[in-house]
Structures are given as structure tokens and as C-alpha cells.
């Protein structure tokens, strides 16, 4: 069977370079091109060399539509506005799209989800096996405990990160809400400062730390009188996200159009 032709949008970014490396090291997939926005100093550079690999002669371009036209699957770890545009291109060309971009507004998400009617879109706020397992565990623990247990999600990331709480923290908070059978947005407490009053029973709280080069650490706490359960995931490096994203692209081959997530890819559904 021929390799899945995979294009990388944002191929010069931190995740983009990881993705190029991961595809190159994975059986069944091959890099067919990559793009960066027009004017980027990376345009014209060898995509593999920029990822620290042997040069391949495939040069970074700025024609995103052309990339979708030649790719079987495109992987997108860029920025919210870019991911909406990429979802539309995927819908028009019938290309599989794997989106790892976080910080999407509800409106952006609605636009992307609509594109899933025409092509396969796999989205994951965190593409690692470990975090998706953590989400499942969180859902199960939240279902077993009542709201005497206060749920707090604590996350830490490197100082470059632009969105907060992280997409993964929200994924975990939503898993906890689903386990409790409550609507996340009505119980989420996304930031505390000053005289906030006592904690509201049933809230799901978030705490955000930023600093250094921390790849991503998440803890879900269930705190009651005199006892506390904590479940933690620590990412050692970004390759775990790239591995999950490439696995998602290969998994998506031949699937009917629709919106999928990493639970589908990893077979961790209920
Ligand atoms: P980064 O800033 O290093 O890279 C983003 C890249 O996208 C840059 O090279 C930028 O030039 C490029 N880009 C932006 N707009 C573009 C466009 N329209 N067309 C082509 N390229 C474009 O950021 P990063 O650390 O690699 O993270 C990118 C995104 O991935 C963030 O939203 C981050 O939160 C998310 N992320 C998700 C996961 C996950 O598992 N889902 C893991 C890590 C990071």
C-alpha cells in the first residue's frame, strides 16, 4: 500500500518541526510538503533540514491551497484563525485534517465542526496517549465521587504559551464535568484574584502556571475534608503530541467524513 502523503501547515513552528521528524520516522506516511505564512524567513528552506534531518529537497512554501491539493492528510498546529482557514480548505479538497491548535473560540470551533460534514477532521487539545487516558480516568473518578470533593485542574507550561487555561486543562475539566453530569461552562471557575468569596460547591477550578521550558504538566485534584486524590500527567517532550497527531492522520485514512477526537483514534471511548 502506498504511503499516506502528509502535509504540514506551520512546519517551521515548534510542533511543526516535531511533526516533520515524526512523519519521517513513521511507517506508512511520507512528508509531501509544508507551508508557512507568506513573508516568513523559512520560505524556501529545506523542510527536513529545518527539522534537524538530512535535507530532502522539499522546500517550505507559502501556497496553502496547493499543499491541500497534493496531500492525503494535513496536520495543523498553528493558530486559531489559521485553523479555520485550513478546515475550509480541507472541506473543499476532501483532504483529511488533523488539528492540534488550541485556544479556539466557540465560534471558531463551530466553523471547524461544520467543515467536518465534508471531510475527516480529527481534533485534539492534547494528542498524547497519556493525557487522553488521564481524561478518561478523570471522568470515571468524577462520576464516582460527589461534590464534597472539590475538583481543581492545575497546569504548567513554558513561557511562550499564549492561551490559558491550556486546551488540555479544559479538556480535563470537561471530562470531570461529564463524569459529574453537569455542564462545564456553568461550573468552570477559570481564574481567581482578590476577594473572590468562598469556593462554590460543585465548581471546577483552574490554576495556571507559566515558566521556563516546561512542555506541559497537568494535575486533576479531587479535594475533600481530610483527603485528596491527585492524578498527574507530565510531558517529557513534544514528541508525544507529534506521535499522536501522525497516528491520527494514519487512522483517519478511509474513514467517512465527520468530526473525530483522540478518544476515537486511541480507542479509549466509553
Ligand atoms: P509555534 O508558534 O512554535 O508554531 C506555530 C507555527 O504556525 C509558526 O511557525 C507560524 O508561523 C505558523 N503559522 C501561523 N499561522 C499560519 C498560517 N496561516 N499558515 C501556515 N503557518 C502558520 O507554536 P507551537 O508551540 O508549535 O504551537 C502551535 C499550536 O499547537 C498552539 O495552539 C499550541 O497550543 C498547540 N499545541 C497543541 C498540542 C496538542 O497536543 N494538541 C501540543 C502542543 C501544542
Amino acid at each position: 500500500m502506498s504511503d499516506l502523503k502528509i502535509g504540514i501547515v506551520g512546519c517551521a513552528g515548534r510542533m511543526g518541526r516535531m511533526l516533520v521528524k515524526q512523519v519521517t520516522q513513521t511507517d506508512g506516511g511520507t512528508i509531501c510538503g509544508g507551508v508557512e505564512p507568506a513573508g516568513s524567513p523559512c520560505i524556501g528552506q529545506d523542510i527536513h533540514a529545518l527539522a534537524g534531518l538530512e535535507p530532502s529537497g522539499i522546500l517550505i512554501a507559502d501556497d496553502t491551497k496547493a499543499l491541500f491539493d497534493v496531500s492525503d492528510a494535513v496536520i495543523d498546529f498553528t493558530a486559531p484563525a489559521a485553523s479555520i482557514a485550513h478546515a475550509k480548505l480541507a472541506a473543499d479538497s476532501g483532504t483529511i485534517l488533523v488539528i492540534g491548535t488550541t485556544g479556539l473560540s466557540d465560534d471558531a470551533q463551530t466553523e471547524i465542526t461544520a467543515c467536518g460534514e465534508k471531510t475527516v477532521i480529527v481534533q485534539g487539545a492534547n494528542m498524547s496517549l497519556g493525557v487522553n487516558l488521564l481524561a478518561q480516568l478523570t471522568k470515571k473518578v468524577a462520576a464516582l465521587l460527589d461534590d464534597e470533593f472539590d475538583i481543581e485542574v492545575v497546569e504548567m507550561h513554558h513561557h511562550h504559551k499564549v492561551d490559558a487555561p491550556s486546551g488540555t486543562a479544559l479538556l480535563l475539566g470537561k471530562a470531570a464535568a461529564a463524569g459529574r453530569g453537569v455542564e462545564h461552562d456553568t461550573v468552570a471557575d477559570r481564574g481567581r484574584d482578590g476577594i473572590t468569596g468562598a469556593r462554590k460547591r460543585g465548581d471546577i477550578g483552574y490554576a495556571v502556571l507559566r515558566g521556563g521550558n516546561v512542555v506541559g504538566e497537568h494535575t486533576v485534584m479531587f479535594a475533600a475534608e481530610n483527603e485528596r486524590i491527585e492524578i498527574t500527567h507530565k510531558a517529557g517532550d513534544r514528541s508525544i503530541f507529534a506521535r499522536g497527531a501522525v497516528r491520527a492522520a494514519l487512522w483517519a485514512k478511509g474513514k467517512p467524513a465527520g468530526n473525530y477526537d483522540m478518544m476515537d483514534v486511541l480507542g479509549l471511548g466509553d
Side-chain angles (χ1 to χ4, degrees):
M1 223 193 302
S2 62
D3 277 356
L4 191 75
K5 286 181 279 167
I6 301 178
I8 310 289
V9 285
C11 59
R14 283 179 291 259
M15 279 307 300
R17 294 175 201 215
M18 273 286 173
L19 288 160
V20 171
K21 215 184 239 179
Q22 187 62 43
V23 172
T24 309
Q25 293 165 355
T26 305
D27 288 342
T30 188
I31 290 287
C32 64
V35 294
E36 275 288 318
S40 159
C42 298
I43 307 290
Q45 290 192 38
D46 186 286
I47 190 170
H48 286 90
L50 195 68
L53 303 169
E54 283 294 308
S56 59
I58 300 175
L59 304 183
I60 299 173
D62 61 5
D63 188 341
T64 311
K65 183 180 177 311
L67 181 68
F68 275 84
D69 287 343
V70 298
S71 302
D72 299 318
V74 168
I75 306 182
D76 170 7
F77 283 65
T78 57
S83 292
I84 298 174
H86 297 148
K88 289 178 180 164
L89 285 170
D92 289 347
S93 57
T95 312
I96 293 165
L97 180 61
V98 176
I99 302 177
T101 305
T102 63
L104 298 163
S105 66
D106 289 348
D107 288 348
Q109 186 55 58
T110 303
E111 286 198 65
I112 290 172
T113 303
C115 295
E117 284 171 21
K118 295 206 184 129
T119 191
V120 179
I121 297 185
V122 185
Q123 255 183 294
N126 190 304
M127 299 274 179
S128 80
L129 170 64
V131 159
N132 285 284
L133 255 178
L134 176 59
Q136 277 299 65
L137 289 172
T138 297
K139 188 172 167 188
K140 291 208 161 92
V141 176
L144 290 170
L145 301 175
D146 63 23
D147 63 8
E148 265 178 46
F149 282 80
D150 297 323
I151 301 178
E152 295 281 308
V153 183
V154 183
E155 58 110 331
M156 179 160 189
H157 280 86
H158 53 88
H159 55 221
H160 299 290
K161 187 155 182 66
V162 295
D163 52 317
S166 71
T168 302
L170 292 166
L171 174 103
L172 295 169
K174 285 175 185 167
R180 267 202 177 155
V182 295
E183 203 185 317
H184 172 262
D185 291 355
T186 62
V187 295
D189 185 353
R190 294 178 56 150
R192 305 182 181 111
D193 186 22
I195 310 295
T196 58
R199 190 185 199 285
K200 237 172 79 201
R201 193 173 168 130
D203 272 0
I204 295 176
Y206 290 89
V208 173
L209 310 179
R210 292 285 175 266
N213 62 348
V214 175
V215 175
E217 298 186 0
H218 295 86
T219 296
V220 184
M221 293 184 186
F222 299 86
E225 294 290 317
N226 303 320
E227 63 178 330
R228 188 161 88 225
I229 301 164
E230 297 186 3
I231 340 178
T232 297
H233 179 269
K234 295 184 182 182
D237 81 23
R238 293 167 162 260
S239 62
I240 58 171
F241 311 125
R243 208 160 51 228
V246 175
R247 183 165 168 174
L250 295 171
W251 172 89
K253 187 177 177 182
K255 293 280 182 301
N259 291 284
Y260 300 90
D261 62 21
M262 288 307 285
M263 295 293 177
D264 299 315
V265 175
L266 299 170
L268 293 175
D270 296 321

